[in-house]
Structures are given as C-alpha cells and as structure tokens.
Amino acid sequence: MQVLKFGGSSVANAANIQKVIAIVQKAVQKEPTVLVVSALGGVTDSLLQVGHLASITDESYKTVLCDLEKRHLETVRELLPIQQQSATLSQVKQQFNELEGVCDGVFLLGELSPRTKDRIVSYGELLSSMMISAALQSLHIDQLWIDSRKLITTNSNHGNASVNFETTDQQIQHHFEQFKHKLYVAPGFISSDDQNNTTTLGRGGSDYTAAIFAAACQASVLEIWTDVSGMMTADPRLVQNAKPIQRISYQEAMELSHFGAKIIYPPTIQPVMSRNIPVWIKNTFAPDEYGTLIENVSAVTDSFIRGISSINKISLLSLEGSGMVGIPGFSKRLFEALAHESVNVILITQSSSEHSICVGINETDKDRAKKSIDHAFSFEVQNGTLEPLKIESGLSIVALVGEQMKSHPGVSGKMFGVLGRNGINVRAIAQGSSEKNISAVLSSADVKKAINVLHEEFFETTYKQLNVFIAGTGNVGGKLLEQIKKQYQYLQDNLRLQIQVIGLANSKKMLIDEEGIDLDTWKEKVGGAADGNIHDFVKRIININLRNSVFVDVTANAEVAGVYGSLLEKSVSVVACNKIACSSSYAAYHKLKSLSREYNAHFLFETNVGAGLPVIGTLNDLLRSGDKVNRIQAVLSGTLNFVFNNYDGTKPFAEVVRQAQAEGYTEPDPRLDLGGTDVMRKIMILAREAGQQLEMDDITNQYFLPASCFEGSVEDFYAEMAKQEAHFKKLYDAAAAENCKLKFVASYENGKAAVGLRHIPADSDFYHLYGKDNLVLFFTERYPEQPLVIKGAGAGADVTASGVFADIIRVAR
C-alpha cells in the first residue's frame, strides 16, 4: 500500500486535476494506493468567509455560496464526459443544499460555534474528493470513495482535534481488510469525534490525514504532492539562490516545518516516523523532478546545515527580578499561566543566574498571555521582587537546522558572527541539547537580510554577493561602473565574488533595483529615474536592508560626506573617494572610524591620497605590523605635478592649468589644487592615519598663488592667472637658475605638517617625477634612511576608479 496526498493548488481546477489523475494512474500500476485530497485551491478560505458572514447576519454569504457552487459544477463539467456528469452534478448540488441549510441556521442564530465551523469547512474536502473519485470512475479505474470521518476518530477539540490513534488504526486496518480495491479516494483534513460530530485536524491537516492512513496500513511510502519540487534550503521568496534538499531526516524536517517551512504540516511527520515510513515531497507540475525524500537517516552532504527557516509575528515575554533566584517551581507557574490560556510557547531561554526568563509566543496571543501572567505573579510584582512583565513585538525567529551540527564546532559563532557583521541585532538565543537547531530572535525588519546572509555563509559555495550603492555618476563614477562590468565574470570565477550594483544616484536622480542594475544601460535608466536627493537615497538603502551592503561616494560633495555616519550605524560599509569626511574636524573623522569598529562596517578611503596608489593601505600595514612613522615626504597632487612638469614659461600658466582640468586631473574648482587645500587634506589624512590628532589649522601652507586669484568665480580665477603670468614665470626662472624643478611638496614630522612649492635639485627623489605622478616617502623605524617609496599616477578618472574598486573588493574579503 502507498499513500498519495495532493494539496489545494494541485486540485485547484479541472486542468490541474487531470495532472493528478495522470500521476495516480501510474501509481496504481505499482501497488494499491490511497489518494488523499485537499479542497479545491482557496475553497477553505471561502467557506470560512461564508460562516463568518452568516454569523454577523450579512446576507452576502449567499452570494459567496452561489459562486462556490458554480465553480464546483463547472469543474465537474470540464472533468467528466457529458454522459457521466448527471450523478456527480446532483451529488454536488445536494452537498451545497446541506451546506446552505447549515449557513442559514448560523444566520438566524447570529452565532458560529467551533463545531459548526468544522461542519462548514468540511464540505471543501468532501466535494473535491467526490468529484475526483467520479473522474477516476469514468476512466474505469478500480476505486472506492471513503469518508475519512468514519475512519479517523478524534476528541472534540474543534478546529485542531487530537487523534485517537488506537481506535483510528483499528478502523482503517479493518476497512482495508474488508474492501479490496486498487485505489481508495479519501478527503483530507476532516475526521469525527465519538458522537460522530465532524471535526478537523487543523489548517494543513490533509497532510496529517495522509500520514494517519500511511501509518495505519504500514504503507511503503507517503507521497505529498504540492506545487514546489520539495523542501528548500531557505524560502525561495526570500533567497534567490535557495537550493532543493533532496534528502532529509524526520527530525530535520520537523524542525524546519516547526520554524515556518510551509511545505509540510508539522504533525504529519510523527505518525510515519514511528513506523519508519519514508515521506516523499513531489511537484504535481514537474513530476519527474526528484523532490525531497524524508527518511530516518540524515543524509551526508557538503553542508552540515540542512536548511534555514523562520517564523514571523513573534512576541517576546520577559520576566526579571531577584524573586526568581533559587525559587523552585517558578518556571512551572509561568508555563501553567500560559497553558491556562492555551498559549503555545515557541522558544524558551533563561539566564544561568535565574534572574530572568524569556519566552517567545505568537504575537496574536500576547494580550491573553499578559493577562494570565500578571495575575499569576501579581504578589511578586507588588512587593517589588519581580519587575512587571515586558513584552516586545515585531519580532521573528530565524533557525538553523541540521543534525550534523553537533559534530561541527563553531556553528553558533559563525552564525552570530555573520549576523553581527551585517548589523543584525539578536534579541534572544535558544539551542537544544540535541544541537539540531539554533534559533535567534530578531527584528522582523531584518528577517530577509538575516536569512540571506546565513544562506550565503552556509550554502553558497559559488560566490559571495556584494550589494553596491554608488553616489556620483560623473567621470570617476562612469569609469568605476565600466570596470565593475568588465571584471564581473573574473571576480565571480576567481574570487567567488559577485558585485551587484543595486543603486545609483547623482545630484538630482536616484535609481534602485534590488535585482541589480544593468550596467549596459545604466545611463539611460538613471536619466529616466525618479527625482531624489542623497538623503532619499540613504533612506532607501537602509529600508531595503540588503546583506553585504556597500555605499560608494565618488563625489566631492560635503552633503554626501555627511551621511556616512548614518550608514555605518546600520552596518553599511562606506568606500569614499570624497576627501571631505576624513579631512573635516578630527572629532568627526574619529567618530566615523569608531562607528566603523562598533558596527562591524568597513570605512575605506584609499583614494583620498594618491588616487589608485596603495598609500593608506601601506601605511596601515606598517602600523599594524608594529612599525612607527617618523617622517613623511610626498608629492600628493597629480594636478600640481602635471602643471609644473608642463610649465616652462613658453606657454601661459593659465593655459597649462586649463589643460590639466580638461584632462580630468583637477577638482571642479582648480583652486582647491593650486591653493594647496587638496594637498593639505591629504597630508592631514596620512598624519591622522599615523596616529596624530591634526587639524587643518595646524598645517603650514606656503601659498604660491597671488591672493587675487582666490576671488570671484572659476572663470575669474583663470582671467586673474592670465594677468599674473609674470609672477608664475618668475617662480619658474628662480628654480631653473638653481638647476632645480618646481614641485609642490607635503611633509610631516614630529607631529607637524607643511605644504608648499619647493625647489627640487637633481639628486632628489622628487626630481624625476613626471606627468601626473605622485610620490610618497615613508621614513619609519624599519625604514630610517632609505624610505619606503610609493610612486605612480596620482590623478585621473581611471586610476581613481580603480582605487575605489579595490576598496570595494577589500570590503568583500
């Protein structure tokens, strides 16, 4: 004997039922079969609606009933040959006449008792099973319709009745001994008590019905046919890369179903587990796919975690107080108070000091639970030995499930480590001594993010996904997107890293796509995107709350720099090309560094100094390895180096500066470069990274631009430089007379920093510095005389974008 159960989606309409019949026809060729079916998809909810409308004396219940009858009659007409429809149509009409009579009584009384509600909802399964039985009969299959209510006996707990297994097993076994057919068709979900009143086994009870039949007749297999191909490592609606679970143990399946996996009704496992009957979950719409086999032994796989599941709408009840410490029976009183109100406890955790106890319950039960607990502990609360009950709502439970966890140390550490790195706060933790399950209570707003980071940590052997949000789509931003697109496959193949650009923003527009922005058409999409400023962009980043999120600032905007803190506080890493944040007050700089450490979020700004050159990274490596910086000398402006390498008095100084700006080497306002402000910021950042509390006012700047050049607009600046050409020619001639070159040099020594134009002789490291190159010399305790030298292009959109790109990759690694 084998048992096959088909759910509501599998029997939603005549076309689906034909698929069911095709599967059943193959099955009965192997061995005798019990076919258990649910109501047509959505019918149970409609029947509950009918009962409710009738109970509040709303006559529209008749309209809903009429629609239900019409749907069933149409299904019969589509399912059966016309010459064989009459009897089944009459049977359907008779059932609806009975149902209408029950609902009319509810309407007259204005009351719907649990017993009557069970009676009403039972018609869904009765109708579907009768119709399917008739369709099978029309194909001349040797089958018999059986009424589950006559075989499954329960108590009178209507809505969620408990089965009397001893009586039920005897009745089912006697029935199959008495009747010998190839196929038996039975309605799921319904049963009866000792007085033959209709009862139900709870929502999802059709699975349970099938398991009861399978256990009673010692079936070879129980097949649960649904609309998905078995259980998954996580909810595919939340995790894009959820994987099918081919084999799983009874215990693992129960844990996953208890914690929200909807594929199988939790009580289903127990009857078949006690008889060691395998359960196979299959897809009605893809019958050739393997599905999930639930059996006694946990299958050995690459991952010792079998799946991740969650329950939403959880409330956490907490009792604290010295009156609990060392008092026997305290927990007993708490659980008795909850049991008195039929409140189910989902999770329990208690401190080792016995000073507090915390339980998780369904949010819908919290008011009844509070009332009962307040009454039970009123004396202790009044005398101050116990604090009033605390209730937190808007919570969820996320659970890792796997029997093999017990043989793998560090699973909990890995779980809570990855949650912490993504800014997910855990409110409570529970783990059974069997180590099949680790549960964490957290905010419901973090559930999707939590399940994704856990799935990535424990199941993703292919790649890690980084979700990137970029502010700035100009020259550097465009180059960065080109580089990400070009390297996308390389990173996935070689670093197992997938960089997904989720958001783009400029000064007027913002574009966000959680599935990833197409890097071939991003310009067009940004152009047609919604209006939004940087604060709107940040709010969206925080609200969608994706795992491994990185905010990238490739602007030079102070307002953009001002949002870093709010992102770091949400564990969103920040990669900044923008120098404003790190060169603002030391207190602001230090606050961002502290937030980065506190919330496990990276704050990286390599391109603040030297564009794509590894200047800050090298400095940090020196310090982390125990070295000490004594002195720094550097040419840190690619712009100024380009200008003074190309100015020899034969072409106006203003024209050389315009060329530098046209080639993308300067800030939007070139005075930031030529006035030394940009170099001051860079040497200050290096000094701060070296451990010095330095402010801009502490840096000496020997200006070479006349004061008049700083007045007016950028165009006024160029006009004034043209007027001051004699001044610039004089600077050049003075250096040339000493056989020197002009270089704008930054220095840091003994806690002091300075920048200014210097005459560089031929024996200096800075003399042979061409084009837009930067050069940094680190004199440290390990490099006291011959400095550590970093040299290369220090300006340009390509190299700056590559430095930003490198920081993004560092976040992932």
Side-chain angles (χ1 to χ4, degrees):
M1 185 77 74
Q2 61 182 341
V3 179
L4 278 62
K5 177 264 174 180
F6 289 85
S9 58
S10 298
V11 295
N13 51 52
N16 289 3
I17 292 172
Q18 294 290 4
K19 291 180 172 65
V20 171
I21 290 172
I23 293 167
V24 173
Q25 282 179 306
K26 287 185 180 179
V28 296
Q29 293 173 11
K30 300 176 184 176
E31 58 183 314
T33 302
V34 178
L35 170 60
V36 177
V37 296
S38 297
L40 304 189
V43 166
T44 301
D45 286 335
S46 295
L47 289 170
L48 287 170
Q49 182 189 13
V50 166
H52 172 69
L53 292 171
S55 71
I56 60 172
T57 63
D58 184 338
E59 291 192 352
S60 63
Y61 77 91
K62 294 181 180 179
T63 303
V64 181
L65 265 181
C66 184
D67 291 341
L68 280 172
E69 182 177 0
K70 182 180 178 182
R71 177 181 173 186
H72 284 79
L73 292 172
E74 287 176 353
T75 302
V76 171
R77 293 187 181 100
E78 292 178 31
L79 207 53
L80 297 174
I82 191 166
Q83 63 272 21
Q84 298 179 34
Q85 292 177 3
S86 179
T88 307
L89 290 172
S90 297
Q91 198 175 27
V92 169
K93 287 182 179 180
Q94 180 185 347
Q95 293 292 322
F96 271 100
N97 287 339
E98 289 180 12
L99 176 56
E100 186 175 9
V102 174
C103 293
D104 288 345
V106 172
F107 180 81
L108 291 171
L109 290 171
E111 179 184 338
L112 179 63
S113 68
R115 174 179 162 183
T116 306
K117 183 187 288 186
D118 271 1
R119 176 83 184 277
I120 291 172
V121 294
S122 70
Y123 283 93
E125 274 70 17
L126 287 170
L127 287 160
S128 65
S129 60
M130 289 174 180
M131 291 159 50
I132 292 169
S133 176
L136 291 161
Q137 184 68 39
S138 73
L139 297 171
H140 307 292
I141 295 173
D142 177 24
Q143 63 88 42
L144 176 69
W145 181 83
I146 53 180
D147 189 343
S148 301
R149 294 174 296 183
K150 293 181 179 179
L151 300 180
I152 301 175
T153 301
T154 69
N155 65 8
S156 300
N157 182 23
H158 292 280
N160 193 16
S162 296
V163 177
N164 182 331
F165 279 99
E166 184 177 353
T167 302
T168 297
D169 284 356
Q170 290 174 359
Q171 291 172 165
I172 292 174
Q173 289 163 9
H174 176 71
H175 183 276
F176 290 131
E177 288 169 1
Q178 187 179 2
F179 298 96
K180 299 294 181 182
H181 295 273
K182 285 187 176 180
L183 178 64
Y184 304 86
V185 182
F189 180 52
I190 61 175
S191 47
S192 64
D193 62 14
D194 291 334
Q195 288 76 45
N196 292 321
N197 295 310
T198 297
T199 57
T200 59
L201 301 174
R203 292 302 296 266
S206 291
D207 287 358
Y208 195 22
T209 303
I212 292 165
F213 274 108
C217 63
Q218 197 64 44
S220 60
V221 66
L222 166 61
E223 294 182 1
I224 306 288
W225 290 80
T226 180
D227 56 1
V228 294
S229 296
M231 302 182 81
M232 307 286 282
T233 51
D235 188 339
R237 294 169 299 180
L238 300 177
V239 178
Q240 188 176 7
N241 299 305
K243 298 170 172 52
I245 303 171
Q246 290 197 332
R247 297 177 67 188
I248 190 172
S249 71
Y250 294 126
Q251 291 82 1
E252 290 169 329
M254 281 196 294
E255 291 281 0
L256 283 174
S257 61
H258 174 69
F259 282 96
K262 303 297 185 185
I263 301 302
I264 190 165
Y265 182 53
T268 304
I269 303 296
Q270 193 61 47
V272 291
M273 183 172 70
S274 63
R275 308 288 172 89
N276 200 21
I277 299 168
V279 180
W280 212 314
I281 301 173
K282 300 278 285 180
N283 189 342
T284 306
F285 308 101
D288 294 331
E289 292 187 4
Y290 187 84
T292 298
L293 180 61
I294 306 173
E295 52 193 344
N296 192 40
V297 180
S298 177
V300 177
T301 62
D302 293 338
S303 176
F304 47 86
I305 302 299
R306 191 68 68 214
I308 305 166
S309 197
S310 65
I311 309 176
N312 295 321
K313 296 183 179 179
I314 295 295
S315 286
L316 213 55
L317 312 182
S318 301
L319 275 178
E320 297 182 16
S322 58
M324 297 171 57
V325 181
I327 306 299
F330 189 92
S331 298
K332 175 176 177 288
R333 291 170 60 196
L334 172 62
F335 295 121
E336 280 180 345
L338 293 170
H340 183 264
E341 291 293 331
S342 300
V343 174
N344 182 45
V345 174
I346 300 169
L347 174 143
I348 307 165
T349 180
Q350 184 172 17
S351 66
S352 57
S353 66
E354 300 182 46
H355 187 265
S356 66
I357 186 168
C358 177
V359 297
I361 65 170
N362 286 316
E363 205 169 83
T364 52
D365 296 333
K366 67 179 180 180
D367 293 333
R368 288 186 293 115
K370 175 174 170 52
K371 182 179 178 182
S372 183
I373 293 171
D374 286 347
H375 176 73
F377 296 101
S378 58
F379 176 76
E380 288 87 349
V381 172
Q382 287 173 8
N383 66 26
T385 58
L386 197 65
E387 295 180 17
L389 179 71
K390 295 178 182 176
I391 301 179
E392 295 178 75
S393 296
L395 302 173
S396 297
I397 298 175
V398 171
L400 281 186
V401 173
E403 281 193 332
Q404 296 177 46
M405 287 196 297
K406 58 190 173 188
S407 59
H408 289 80
V411 176
S412 297
K414 196 174 182 181
M415 174 182 181
F416 298 118
V418 72
L419 292 175
R421 287 194 298 276
N422 278 273
I424 299 168
N425 185 40
V426 175
R427 293 289 302 109
I429 301 165
Q431 181 175 17
S433 58
S434 65
E435 298 185 59
K436 294 185 181 74
N437 173 318
I438 307 173
S439 305
V441 181
L442 41 85
S443 169
S444 294
D446 288 329
V447 166
K448 181 178 179 180
K449 184 179 183 181
I451 293 177
N452 273 277
V453 299
L454 291 172
H455 196 271
E456 187 172 77
E457 188 74 12
F458 289 102
F459 289 102
E460 290 298 340
T461 57
T462 51
Y463 59 82
K464 176 178 182 178
Q465 181 172 311
L466 214 60
N467 296 302
V468 176
F469 302 84
I470 301 173
T473 56
N475 204 9
V476 176
K479 295 292 184 184
L480 174 61
L481 290 166
E482 281 180 24
Q483 291 173 12
I484 291 173
K485 177 187 169 185
K486 181 180 177 181
Q487 290 299 103
Y488 184 88
Q489 198 62 47
Y490 174 88
L491 293 175
Q492 189 162 297
D493 293 343
N494 293 277
L495 298 183
R496 291 171 49 204
L497 173 63
Q498 185 182 78
I499 295 181
Q500 199 85 300
V501 178
I502 303 296
L504 292 172
N506 56 31
S507 59
K508 296 178 181 179
K509 302 278 188 179
M510 69 175 192
L511 172 67
I512 289 183
D513 184 344
E514 290 187 47
E515 300 301 316
I517 295 168
D518 185 348
L519 298 187
D520 286 319
T521 59
W522 69 266
K523 287 184 181 178
E524 295 86 347
K525 289 184 176 179
V526 169
D531 293 342
N533 57 37
I534 188 60
H535 301 288
D536 298 325
F537 192 52
V538 169
K539 184 183 290 185
R540 285 291 307 279
I541 294 171
I542 293 171
N543 286 344
I544 61 177
N545 200 21
L546 296 179
R547 72 192 190 281
N548 306 327
S549 291
V550 186
F551 175 79
V552 181
D553 179 8
V554 287
T555 73
N557 186 286
E559 192 174 9
V560 176
V563 305
Y564 296 174
S566 60
L567 289 161
L568 292 170
E569 285 176 346
K570 295 297 181 180
S571 296
V572 176
S573 293
V574 174
V575 170
C577 170
N578 189 343
K579 291 183 279 291
I580 292 174
C582 288
S583 61
S584 58
S585 70
Y586 181 82
Y589 158 85
H590 185 262
K591 176 72 181 298
L592 292 175
K593 298 280 282 188
S594 298
L595 288 173
S596 170
R597 290 190 294 270
E598 182 178 355
Y599 293 98
N600 295 303
H602 291 275
F603 177 38
L604 302 176
F605 41 89
E606 181 65 77
T607 51
N608 277 197
V609 180
L613 295 177
V615 178
I616 294 175
T618 301
L619 174 58
N620 289 332
D621 287 342
L622 289 172
L623 297 172
R624 281 192 288 261
S625 64
D627 204 353
K628 180 183 177 183
V629 175
N630 297 321
R631 180 161 54 104
I632 301 171
Q633 287 187 318
V635 169
L636 295 172
S637 173
T639 304
L640 286 169
N641 202 44
F642 178 90
V643 168
F644 286 111
N645 278 331
N646 285 277
Y647 179 66
D648 58 5
T650 59
K651 186 163 63 173
F653 188 79
E655 192 174 320
V656 175
V657 175
R658 276 197 186 275
Q659 181 186 349
Q661 186 172 26
E663 295 187 24
Y665 300 145
T666 75
E667 296 285 345
D669 185 343
R671 286 172 289 191
L672 291 173
D673 297 294
L674 272 68
T677 302
D678 187 54
V679 177
M680 290 171 70
R681 288 172 175 170
K682 291 176 179 178
I683 194 63
M684 181 173 67
I685 291 168
L686 289 180
R688 286 175 172 179
E689 289 293 289
Q692 185 67 37
Q693 296 188 23
L694 202 67
E695 303 285 0
M696 283 287 277
D697 291 343
D698 299 326
I699 302 172
T700 303
N701 185 353
Q702 297 175 340
Y703 294 99
F704 70 87
L705 279 181
S708 58
C709 289
F710 292 97
E711 297 172 2
S713 66
V714 172
E715 282 307 312
D716 293 334
F717 160 66
Y718 277 113
E720 186 61 27
M721 276 198 300
K723 293 178 184 177
Q724 298 287 345
E725 177 59 26
H727 166 75
F728 300 117
K729 182 68 166 61
K730 183 178 179 181
L731 293 174
Y732 173 80
D733 289 341
E738 299 176 6
N739 293 319
C740 291
K741 291 183 178 179
L742 288 173
K743 301 290 180 184
F744 198 85
V745 178
S747 62
Y748 163 75
E749 189 173 5
N750 297 323
K752 296 182 179 180
V755 301
L757 203 59
R758 302 282 186 270
H759 291 188
I760 303 300
D763 60 353
S764 170
D765 290 304
F766 297 128
Y767 188 86
H768 298 288
L769 197 60
Y770 303 109
K772 58 191 176 184
D773 283 359
N774 280 192
L775 178 65
V776 181
L777 309 178
F778 287 121
F779 294 86
T780 72
E781 290 185 351
R782 292 179 190 154
Y783 300 90
E785 295 178 5
Q786 292 296 324
L788 177 62
V789 178
I790 301 170
K791 180 181 178 182
D798 272 320
V799 292
T800 302
S802 71
V804 173
F805 195 4
D807 270 351
I808 293 171
I809 295 170
R810 285 188 191 97
V811 171
R813 301 184 73 182

